[in-house]
Amino acid sequence: MHRNTMKWNSTTHGLMPAAASKGEDRVYYGLFCSGDHKSYACRVGSAYERKEVLRRKGLCFFVLVNIQVDSASEGELVTHAGVSITKLYALRWRIGIMCHIWNRLRINREMGGVVAESRVLSTISERKPQCVLLQTCDVKIRNDTKVTRARLLLDNGSMRSFVDKDIACKLKLPVIRRESLSVFTFGNKIPIKKTFDVVGIVLENREKPDFSVKIEALVTEQISGKVAVLIGADYYHNIVLGGIKRLKGQLVATETIFGWCLIGRDSDVRDVAVSLNIIIEKDLISGLIKKFWELESLGIAENEFSDSTNDSVLQRLESEIEYENSRYRVRLPWKSDKKYILSNNKKVAERRFERLRRRFVRNPELYKSYQAVLRDYLQQRIIELVPNTCDTEQITFYLPHREVVRNDRSSSKFRVVFDASSHDGSEVSLNDCLHIGPNLYPDIFDILLRFRLYPIAFTADIKRAFLQIEINEKDRDVSRFLFTDDPTDGSKSPQIYRFTRVLFGVNSSPFMLAATIKHHLRKYQGIYPETSEFLNNCIYVDDIIGGHQNAEDAYRTSTECMHIFREAGMTLHKWQTNSEELQKLWVKEDMVSGDSSQVVEPSGLPFKVLGVSWNKRDDSLYFDMQNLVTFLSGRVKSKRCLLQATGRYLILLVSWVHLC
């Protein structure tokens, strides 16, 4: 039977050639000899001789032809003769049909025999009926600057965690100590006494390095198969998050910091891919919303698996911070192993700017708004043209940018935002190379409770808080961006600017702002002790939210706040209060102007406290649903619209839960 008329049957080892009609037995029996045993169990002939037999009989030996499986990853699909198989299955099939030695394990299983060697299977294991999948993950193993990928097995039946000796040698893991243990193995009643080296390693999520765990593991000669790390009960619950999804029958997906992994039994492993696809489709929208909120809280939200070097990051910023001409200057918190692998991202920035330039040509008003913002930045020395004498050896990175228009804001309706997460292909982004840093902000729930605790409430805002902190000259070239003074001339090269200040959009910016403010407040602990304590507990990013028992204390605190921040080159504005008496005191000091009885801002928008509308006259918090209705009524139904609307709704929901 020739290849173009070949049929295929699904068997234990995958797809096997099947006869078109009554000659089916000649495929399964007596293919390589005259015996009555199955062909794959035959011991006659070498792999080369078997190949010749198949060729002479016109049968397809399939994977022995030149299919490109060696360049595929272990789980990647490759196609031959219209059939998709994975590299792992292809390699096993090739050996299985050609080599009788490979099939001894299978024969033993069919005959009810005991297999001497125990193999650890993973979620990409052999396609066998009643195959049991064990909890394994593909992770990065790190030691200082050395990194490697390996497969990890989660086994809470083991009291201790282990690492393969080859991995320990490859990463040159330093030995912390040595331990002597009594090891019980299957089938042995008497323990075996062994001495193990103990090493420290960091296990990371391959896509999100911030999801990591530091462990101590015992070095052993071999764990099993391709498994390089075994996680026992000592660290099991540091990795497993608790999320469980039952897929089909006894097959279950469990959530870990390294992603979802499969465990259990399924009669048809091919259904695994379908089941995983169902999970992805089911969680698609919630995943997008989660990503949306991660971006919204970039560098602010607490990360349970945050960088273990947070203390050293804070100490380094404290040691490098400078104060000159009433302004602070800081260094970026670089990851030591990532700083020098950062590419300049210029091609990505050029492509995206070219699209933006064409939009400028179509919409001149957009260009005027854009130009006005950047011209203001230039006048205030927030940005500067890259000097011709700039050090060419300096690490550089080009930031793509776009506009964000928020008509629901009383100020800063038009903003230019910069994308520090941009990268080209397999390159790393600027955000990948920076520590997020520890979360130094108080809990938002505590701030809201404190705001409602006192009869006199007031709020203020640090004007352009991030842009009031300078970036050290050595780090400025990683904040380059492109702009043009004539968008109609496409042949003209854009000008290159760079930031001299901290900009929002870099994942470490909230940390640098909070750390700088706390560093500054320590100077005033002896001068204004009560106000320093108040500010430590009542600042959330650039908002000051608090209260006092009486107007006199609130006035004293607010004026001392003005003085403290003025010394850091920062201006407090947008003062709001529920007290007419306090409002009058502010007016005398030219801190504010206007009537405290106003329920809404001059723009007609409600006053906000951490996103919640505040009626100053009644001193009540409320949810303004009209804005959400207006937003939805004028939008085209799309995923972007859904995410934006959900974001607004969740702000209300979270605020309500907090206040209840």
Side-chain angles (χ1 to χ4, degrees):
M1 183 175 295
H2 297 286
R3 188 168 302 179
N4 58 354
T5 58
M6 183 67 68
K7 292 184 179 180
W8 303 94
N9 286 339
S10 179
T11 68
T12 305
H13 278 299
L15 297 174
M16 294 287 290
S21 57
K22 298 179 180 179
E24 183 176 0
D25 287 346
R26 73 187 184 99
V27 176
Y28 291 113
Y29 295 91
L31 186 61
F32 303 114
C33 68
S34 59
D36 58 356
H37 49 264
K38 293 183 179 180
S39 297
Y40 64 78
C42 183
R43 296 193 177 192
V44 175
S46 64
Y48 176 80
E49 291 170 339
R50 289 171 174 237
K51 179 180 176 181
E52 287 299 306
V53 170
L54 292 177
R55 186 185 62 79
R56 287 197 307 270
K57 294 188 176 183
L59 295 175
C60 178
F61 42 86
F62 194 58
V63 294
L64 291 179
V65 300
N66 187 24
I67 65 170
Q68 299 300 317
V69 295
D70 294 330
S71 62
S73 62
E74 197 167 77
E76 185 179 346
L77 287 176
V78 293
T79 303
H80 174 68
V83 180
S84 294
I85 57 174
T86 65
K87 172 186 176 181
L88 182 63
Y89 297 152
L91 294 178
R92 286 179 176 171
W93 187 5
R94 175 167 59 194
I95 299 171
I97 188 63
M98 287 293 121
C99 180
H100 58 80
I101 298 175
W102 169 263
N103 282 297
R104 288 180 186 174
L105 289 177
R106 181 175 183 237
I107 295 169
N108 284 338
R109 281 192 289 269
E110 289 185 351
M111 299 298 293
V114 178
V115 181
E117 183 181 1
S118 175
R119 294 278 182 182
V120 176
L121 305 179
S122 70
T123 57
I124 52 172
S125 184
E126 296 174 86
R127 296 195 177 206
K128 298 177 182 178
Q130 303 301 315
C131 178
V132 177
L133 308 180
L134 303 183
Q135 274 183 301
T136 66
C137 309
D138 191 10
V139 301
K140 282 185 179 179
I141 305 178
R142 180 181 299 278
N143 174 42
D144 296 330
T145 58
K146 294 182 179 294
V147 183
T148 188
R149 281 179 59 179
R151 186 157 289 278
L152 170 149
L153 171 66
L154 295 165
D155 181 11
N156 59 2
S158 172
M159 294 177 62
R160 299 296 297 272
S161 297
F162 295 85
V163 61
D164 191 275
K165 185 177 181 180
D166 291 341
I167 292 291
C169 294
K170 181 178 180 180
L171 296 179
K172 297 182 179 179
L173 299 175
V175 177
I176 301 173
R177 62 183 181 276
R178 305 194 79 193
E179 289 188 13
S180 295
L181 301 174
S182 296
V183 181
F184 287 85
T185 58
F186 287 108
N188 291 330
K189 296 182 179 180
I190 302 175
I192 302 172
K193 291 186 178 181
K194 290 185 178 181
T195 301
F196 296 91
D197 291 335
V198 181
V199 297
I201 56 176
V202 176
L203 305 174
E204 289 183 358
N205 184 304
R206 290 193 296 115
E207 303 297 332
K208 298 180 179 179
D210 288 337
F211 285 79
S212 62
V213 61
K214 188 173 183 178
I215 70 168
E216 291 184 358
L218 308 176
V219 180
T220 185
E221 288 292 335
Q222 186 179 12
I223 297 174
S224 185
K226 295 184 179 180
V227 174
V229 180
L230 183 145
I231 298 296
D234 48 352
Y235 292 102
Y236 182 85
H237 291 288
N238 293 47
I239 294 173
V240 177
L241 300 178
I244 295 177
K245 292 185 181 293
R246 189 168 294 279
L247 304 180
K248 178 184 177 182
Q250 298 178 12
L251 190 63
V252 174
T254 58
E255 186 182 14
T256 73
I257 63 172
F258 307 121
W260 290 85
C261 61
L262 299 180
I263 182 172
R265 183 191 302 273
D266 195 355
S267 59
D268 191 350
V269 183
R270 285 173 295 178
D271 289 340
V272 171
V274 179
S275 300
L276 287 177
N277 186 56
I278 292 172
I279 293 174
I280 293 169
E281 293 297 330
K282 178 180 176 182
D283 292 344
L284 178 61
I285 297 299
S286 59
L288 290 173
I289 293 171
K290 181 180 178 182
K291 185 176 181 181
F292 170 82
W293 277 101
E294 287 173 350
L295 292 173
E296 285 289 299
S297 60
L298 194 62
I300 300 172
E302 188 67 56
N303 186 353
E304 183 180 354
F305 304 99
S306 57
D307 199 328
S308 58
T309 60
N310 276 341
D311 290 340
S312 63
V313 170
L314 181 58
Q315 291 172 5
R316 189 170 64 192
L317 184 139
E318 290 280 357
S319 66
E320 294 175 340
I321 195 169
E322 301 172 358
Y323 181 74
E324 185 178 351
N325 298 327
S326 299
R327 197 177 299 280
Y328 284 95
R329 184 182 300 117
V330 297
R331 293 293 305 270
L332 293 178
W334 291 100
K335 293 179 180 177
S336 58
D337 60 327
K338 295 286 185 70
K339 180 177 181 179
Y340 297 102
I341 64 172
L342 181 65
S343 61
N344 63 25
N345 201 48
K346 191 173 183 180
K347 290 183 179 179
V348 175
E350 287 174 338
R351 288 197 301 268
R352 289 175 60 172
F353 180 72
E354 177 57 26
R355 292 197 294 269
L356 181 62
R357 186 194 64 79
R358 291 197 292 266
R359 290 178 59 214
F360 287 156
V361 175
R362 295 193 301 269
N363 186 354
E365 291 301 319
L366 172 62
Y367 176 72
K368 288 180 182 179
S369 299
Y370 228 105
Q371 189 180 44
V373 171
L374 296 183
R375 186 178 292 160
D376 179 51
Y377 282 0
L378 197 59
Q379 289 174 352
Q380 296 189 47
R381 298 181 180 178
I382 294 172
I383 63 174
E384 64 184 5
L385 279 167
V386 174
N388 294 329
T389 57
C390 188
D391 186 3
T392 56
E393 298 297 322
Q394 197 78 354
I395 298 173
T396 61
F397 189 84
Y398 287 80
L399 298 166
H401 50 89
R402 65 183 297 271
E403 84 287 355
V404 171
V405 181
R406 291 291 301 271
N407 292 320
D408 60 334
R409 292 181 179 269
S410 59
S411 62
S412 304
K413 293 180 181 293
F414 186 97
R415 292 187 299 162
V416 179
V417 295
F418 295 82
D419 185 5
S421 294
S422 170
H423 62 93
D424 189 9
S426 60
E427 301 291 345
V428 296
S429 68
L430 176 60
N431 278 343
D432 291 330
C433 298
L434 298 175
H435 289 287
I436 294 177
N439 180 10
L440 302 178
Y441 294 102
D443 187 85
I444 193 170
F445 184 37
D446 293 342
I447 294 177
L448 285 171
L449 286 180
R450 198 175 292 113
F451 178 70
R452 304 302 294 167
L453 185 63
Y454 300 104
I456 306 298
F458 61 90
T459 66
D461 180 83
I462 306 173
K463 187 176 182 179
R464 289 181 172 179
F466 294 96
L467 299 178
Q468 306 312 316
I469 303 173
E470 287 188 0
I471 288 291
N472 192 288
E473 178 81 23
K474 296 178 181 178
D475 290 330
R476 290 180 182 176
D477 280 310
V478 296
S479 62
R480 292 186 178 190
F481 67 95
L482 306 174
F483 197 67
T484 181
D485 55 4
D486 184 9
T488 60
D489 187 359
S491 62
K492 185 178 181 180
S493 297
Q495 294 170 303
I496 302 175
Y497 294 85
R498 67 180 184 181
F499 272 85
T500 63
R501 311 283 176 85
V502 172
L503 72 150
F504 191 76
V506 174
N507 60 3
S508 55
S509 294
F511 157 69
M512 290 188 287
L513 174 63
T516 301
I517 290 175
K518 289 187 178 294
H519 175 87
H520 181 67
L521 291 178
R522 283 197 289 272
K523 294 181 180 181
Y524 293 89
Q525 286 178 344
I527 305 172
Y528 304 126
E530 292 182 2
T531 303
S532 297
E533 181 67 19
F534 168 83
L535 289 172
N536 266 315
N537 295 323
C538 296
I539 295 180
Y540 193 80
V541 191
D542 57 354
D543 291 320
I544 299 174
I545 302 157
H548 273 293
Q549 288 291 349
N550 54 68
E552 291 78 11
D553 288 342
Y555 173 71
R556 174 182 52 79
T557 297
S558 59
T559 53
E560 290 177 357
C561 287
M562 291 281 286
H563 175 72
I564 289 173
F565 279 96
R566 189 181 300 117
E567 292 300 309
M570 300 180 183
T571 303
L572 299 184
H573 69 152
K574 296 183 180 179
W575 289 96
Q576 302 295 340
T577 181
N578 61 344
S579 168
E580 292 186 11
E581 182 182 356
L582 179 57
Q583 180 81 10
K584 291 176 181 178
L585 293 172
W586 284 347
V587 170
K588 288 181 181 179
E589 292 294 324
D590 292 327
M591 292 171 61
V592 297
S593 61
D595 183 6
S596 65
S597 62
Q598 289 178 315
V599 178
V600 296
E601 297 193 35
S603 62
L605 296 170
F607 295 108
K608 294 289 185 72
V609 177
L610 296 178
V612 184
S613 300
W614 178 36
N615 185 321
K616 299 190 300 178
R617 183 190 302 159
D618 300 334
D619 192 20
S620 60
L621 299 176
Y622 66 97
F623 304 127
D624 182 18
M625 301 300 296
Q626 184 57 45
N627 276 336
L628 184 60
V629 173
T630 303
F631 173 82
L632 290 172
S633 62
R635 296 279 174 154
V636 178
K637 295 179 180 178
S638 63
K639 288 182 181 178
R640 177 176 294 181
C641 174
L642 176 62
L643 286 173
Q644 290 174 337
T646 305
R648 293 171 183 238
Y649 170 76
L650 286 177
I651 289 174
L652 305 182
L653 180 61
V654 171
S655 302
W656 177 259
V657 170
H658 279 171
L659 293 176
C660 290

